[in-house]
Amino acid sequence: MEKEYFNQQEAFLKDYQKFAKQNNVTIDQLADQVIEELNRTQADRFTLPKEEAVDGKSHCFPFSRRVYSDENDGTLNTSYTYEGEPYVLETEE
């Protein structure tokens, strides 16, 4: 059984592998990077840099964030959910 880092991680990994040059990466290798970026930037997306994408364009993967409190000790926790289809960050003119 694989560890659950965030909700919909299988869908995220499938989408990520479509666009990443390194398409054999596992969720265990990628999850820390995703969660670190979401926490650091406080953005609602994880960005695949254009240098790491097969098509040379940056791709964003949308996430939602839920902050909740543990009833027993009042600790705040954060959970993330992958929200679906990635989109291209850059546009061509």
Side-chain angles (χ1 to χ4, degrees), residues 1 6 11 17 20 22 24 35 47 50-51 61 71-72 90 92:
M1 183 175 151
F6 49 84
Q17 289 175 337
Q22 184 182 1
N24 61 349
I35 292 171
T47 304
K50 63 184 177 184
E51 298 81 23
F61 298 86
E71 291 181 20
N72 295 329
E90 299 173 1
E92 294 189 27

Side-chain angles (χ1 to χ4, degrees), residues 8 42 55 58 63 73 81 84 87 89-90:
Q8 300 296 324
Q42 294 297 302
D55 61 2
S58 294
F63 279 82
D73 63 7
T81 301
Y87 55 93
L89 186 60
E90 299 173 1

Side-chain angles (χ1 to χ4, degrees), residues 9 22 29 40 42 45 56-57 67 69-71 75 88:
Q9 67 188 28
Q22 184 182 1
Q29 297 166 319
R40 182 177 40 81
Q42 294 297 302
R45 65 185 182 271
K57 298 178 182 176
V67 178
S69 174
D70 185 327
E71 291 181 20
T75 302
V88 176

Side-chain angles (χ1 to χ4, degrees), residues 16-17 19-26 29-30 48 52-54:
Y16 180 88
Q17 289 175 337
F19 298 103
K21 285 180 184 175
Q22 184 182 1
N23 62 5
N24 61 349
V25 67
T26 67
Q29 297 166 319
L30 192 57
L48 173 65
E52 297 176 19
V54 291

